[in-house]
Amino acid sequence: MANLQGNCLPSVGKGGVILATGLAVLSVASVALPVINIKVMGFGGGLALASPHFLGGVAYLLPLAFLAGLVARFAPQAQTYVRVLEIAGLVIAVGIALYATMTLLNGMNEMSNADRQMAQMLGSANARQLSSMRGLSLAGGTLALVLLLLGSAWQVWSGRRR
């Protein structure tokens, strides 16, 4: 009975756990939900981060980092690594967001070039009709990724005082 205190978990801050849980949920949502909706010739579909045409399996590093950060808050042996996992999660999220942004901008540029070529080949009236049947729009995964970036930056910034 005298050694009972030595086996207890260290105190875990409720606010930190809530933020880590929210970030873990947002990281899963940003990988699972489509980041953009693509519409071509009247037919559309969503493109998620984990799509083989986008990031593929590398996208699963994002939820892995944030889930590891959440689990580390409850494991006494991993308490010293919580800060490192928070920073690693932010770095991975920023890297994925930059890659996604560059890929989307490149895709939009290619679609614009294709529209110009269609206008030259078909004439402006027919090209306008075809270009109205296509489009890119942001989807729920983008909102989750932006919220994840903001929350993760807040977590790292507020944790620097610890």
Side-chain angles (χ1 to χ4, degrees), residues 34 70 119 133:
L70 176 63
M133 296 176 68

PDB file of all heavy atoms in Angstrom, residues 34 70 119 133:
ATOM      1  N   PRO A  34     -12.837  14.378 -48.676  1.00  0.00           N
ATOM      2  CA  PRO A  34     -12.216  14.926 -49.889  1.00  0.00           C
ATOM      3  C   PRO A  34     -11.718  16.348 -49.655  1.00  0.00           C
ATOM      4  O   PRO A  34     -12.356  17.130 -48.959  1.00  0.00           O
ATOM      5  CB  PRO A  34     -13.332  14.916 -50.917  1.00  0.00           C
ATOM      6  CG  PRO A  34     -14.541  14.428 -50.247  1.00  0.00           C
ATOM      7  CD  PRO A  34     -14.235  14.078 -48.846  1.00  0.00           C
ATOM      8  N   LEU A  70      -1.519  12.222 -28.852  1.00  0.00           N
ATOM      9  CA  LEU A  70      -2.601  12.031 -27.890  1.00  0.00           C
ATOM     10  C   LEU A  70      -2.302  10.877 -26.941  1.00  0.00           C
ATOM     11  O   LEU A  70      -2.460  11.007 -25.728  1.00  0.00           O
ATOM     12  CB  LEU A  70      -3.922  11.779 -28.624  1.00  0.00           C
ATOM     13  CG  LEU A  70      -5.146  11.464 -27.760  1.00  0.00           C
ATOM     14  CD1 LEU A  70      -5.480  12.640 -26.854  1.00  0.00           C
ATOM     15  CD2 LEU A  70      -6.317  11.099 -28.634  1.00  0.00           C
ATOM     16  N   ALA A 119     -10.256  26.867 -76.637  1.00  0.00           N
ATOM     17  CA  ALA A 119     -10.802  28.088 -77.230  1.00  0.00           C
ATOM     18  C   ALA A 119     -10.201  28.328 -78.606  1.00  0.00           C
ATOM     19  O   ALA A 119     -10.896  28.781 -79.525  1.00  0.00           O
ATOM     20  CB  ALA A 119     -10.546  29.277 -76.316  1.00  0.00           C
ATOM     21  N   MET A 133     -18.772  23.381 -67.844  1.00  0.00           N
ATOM     22  CA  MET A 133     -19.114  22.042 -67.369  1.00  0.00           C
ATOM     23  C   MET A 133     -18.016  21.444 -66.499  1.00  0.00           C
ATOM     24  O   MET A 133     -18.090  20.305 -66.104  1.00  0.00           O
ATOM     25  CB  MET A 133     -19.366  21.127 -68.576  1.00  0.00           C
ATOM     26  CG  MET A 133     -20.550  21.561 -69.406  1.00  0.00           C
ATOM     27  SD  MET A 133     -20.755  20.548 -70.861  1.00  0.00           S
ATOM     28  CE  MET A 133     -21.231  18.995 -70.156  1.00  0.00           C
TER      29      MET A 133
END
